[in-house]
Amino acid sequence: MACISGKTDGMATTSGTGSNRQIVDIEGRRLRLTNLDKVLYPATGTTKADVLSYLAAVAPLLIAHARDRPVTRKRWVHGVGTADQPGAMFFQKNLDKSAPEWVPRVTLQHKEHVNTYPLLNDLATLTWLGQIGALEIHVPQWTVDEAGQPRNPDRMVLDLDPGDGAGLAECAEVARLARAILGGMGLEPVPVTSGSKGIHLYAALDGGETSDQVSAVAHELARALEADHPDLVVSDMKKSLRAGKVLVDWSQNSAAKTTIAPYSLRGRVRPMVACPRTWAELDDPDLSHLDYLHVLERIKHVQDPMASLSPGHPGAVAEPDRLHRYRTMRDAERTPEPVPDTAPSAAGGNSFVIQEHHARRLHWDFRLEHDGVLVSWAVPKGPPDSPKQNHLAVQTEDHPLEYGTFEGRIPKGEYGAGDVAIWDAGTYELEKWRDGKEVIATLTGRADGGLGGGPRRFALIRTGGGGEQKNNWLIHLMKDQHPDAAAEPTAADGAAGQPSRADHGVLPSHAPMLATASNLQELEGEALSDEDWLYEMKWDGIRAVAAVQDGGVRLLSRNGNDLTAGYPELQELAGAVREPVLLDMEIVALDRKGRPDFGLLQQRMNLVKPAEIEAATRQVPVHAFAFDILNRGGRSLLKMPLRERRKELEDVLRPAAADRVQLSPLFEGPPSHVLAISEEHGLEGLLAKKAGSSYLPGRRSRSWLKVKHARTQEVVIAGWRPGGGRRAGTVGSLLLGVPADGDLRYVGRVGTGFRERDLEDLSRLLARLERKTSPLRDVPAADARDAHWVTPRLVGEVTFAERTATGRLRHPSWRGLRPDKEPADVVPE
């Protein structure tokens, strides 16, 4: 690239003293440029003139992302040097006394000192920074106002930094995982290859939260990614923990921290650039960082992917219509979803659609036509089917009206990847619409739709404040319904559709903490670490969180179903505790030898009628093993180490006062000894728990490890094939799937292990869920030949001999339904 001369993007030469020195006029500012032929990047021969020409070319983009942000500089006055002999670099916050007086600046009071920073608001200042060798430009996530006072941050950033053994491909994978979570929060991130090692993810904020609040959300997001993907993600800054993993650095959202500005050069051996990228680019297996020559060519043809994050950006849409955000989150070339390129008309229709969406987490999309778009909410538990239930509804981006008829599969890697099916659709009668506050409407759907055909009157009420909860609403089924409205839901209805949520009263609600599947060899290796471990038996039953207060016991399953009415004998727990408590325990049915029998427990599940429950209680009484305590007398114990929680549990629980509630005993290691005891007594296996671990509600953690004797796998029922012989006219086998990468992967079919009652229950439940298309991936034609497909909503459990090379289960046998679990809970064991 030639040295600067003549006029370039607002830069004009006013006088010259040779090709190595120039005095230029830049938008009315005079600046002396010197040593233009100095090589700043020896590996590529890139000179200061080349750097200044690059800065002039990207100035509209770089300035848009750095405007009104205090600039911290990394300067290489004599160049970056080589890999063997790096050049001298110094870090600079304060503005030089020799800085031109026209450089905009802001003075900020820190805890113990005052700094005056330049503001990168114009081309002249950017050129001056290039002249003094400030190759790297770092800025915070907040701007200053006209008075020079810091505002709340207007963007969040996650720095995805690969450890040894990981690279850009792993960072891209983590970026896609983070995008799914941020999308659920109503944020659409933009990736930036940093020009160094990793990827930065930026998401626009509305300025309603402080830096501390944004940092807390980013920290929790990093922890969630680590909990879900412990082999790929780490959130702790310790280098010793980062080998082969990607650090999700959330700390750069601190008000005191800065991040390399998009389009800034890097002080590396080669002149690399922190360059915004598209999500399609991140899917490229040859993804790489870009140098300044690539970026110069790129900006001629590719719009800045970060344009929407910076007001006043030359590529930003001046007045976005209501579908602008929807479009920015989708690529019409990569998704079958409708992506109209025109603004919506202010139509006055009254259609609605509710779509069942098997994305990263199963949820229902509740959409009402209003002002020419479908105003949309994601409802994790689906529309409530009882006035006693209030379900969470998270408002998402407006969708086009064409989305009202959309069904299909959104490809992996795209926003909302997974299967979408219409659960119900029709028209609604509007009663009240207060934008951003409250909606009341009566919906009339299809005769065979999920709402049951009759009118359903719903209220949507916004409850969110700031931060990640700002889009939170509640959806409520009104008490005064049409006479044809459904009656109160039953336990069986909860198992087949959306689970019933209980009113938890004074004690808080917590989903149970989950264990990670392991094996004896791995567990013995863990036992040799410095951590103390506690061992207990794995009881073959269903999890329940018991809230004991006001002389009564309320039982909630893992997925929030109210189990209280189904197990009346466990009310005796109220007399076995000293004060209000929240306990984690396992409900089991014992065989004649006193061993838990999951098949026997099936006889107690899905019962509705009081007479049936009373009879089953006499024939198959249940017991409960309590093993953890989450709350005592209104005091949360979640952060207390397990060993201390165990002491609290032993203090508050009096098993002698209850025939059917026991304290789950602890056993001394090593784990091989405990596993042998478990096998000797015909139990399912063991649980090993770190004595110092806190309780993580609803999260799967390696602080709890489980080892089973038999191979079992939770599965999602996706279809069934008719039986023959004595099973003619009923279920012959079930077609099974396990969620994987946004799809439901076929793992085989099971046709053994069923009791007559199992087949009757399955026939009844599956009849409600019939659908025309297969929800599975990779089903062999022979297995799909006479299949009846169903909406994948029911979870069951099978035993099996081994897995084939393709992941299929060999010789599976049915153990029973798991109404305490949802498809999103199923993971490969």
Side-chain angles (χ1 to χ4, degrees), residues 308 316-328 343-344 398:
S308 61
V317 178
E319 294 184 4
D321 61 61
R322 293 190 63 164
L323 294 179
H324 172 68
R325 184 161 176 263
Y326 174 90
R327 294 190 203 95
T328 64
D398 293 334

Side-chain angles (χ1 to χ4, degrees), residues 65 155-158 160 175 178-179 182 187-193 199-204 262-263 275-279 281-282 298 303-310 328-329:
H65 299 309
R155 63 195 187 195
M156 173 192 290
V157 66
L158 296 176
L160 310 182
R179 182 192 188 192
L182 288 166
L187 302 177
E188 174 56 15
V190 178
V192 174
T193 47
I199 291 174
H200 297 157
L201 280 185
Y202 287 92
Y263 294 101
C275 184
R277 311 294 288 270
T278 66
W279 284 104
E281 288 179 289
L282 254 65
R298 173 188 177 86
Q303 181 184 2
D304 180 11
M306 279 188 70
S308 61
L309 267 71
S310 299
T328 64
M329 300 166 74

Side-chain angles (χ1 to χ4, degrees), residues 35 37-48 78-80:
N35 301 317
D37 58 358
K38 177 185 287 185
V39 175
L40 297 182
Y41 293 89
T44 55
T46 305
T47 65
K48 181 189 284 189
H78 301 295
V80 301

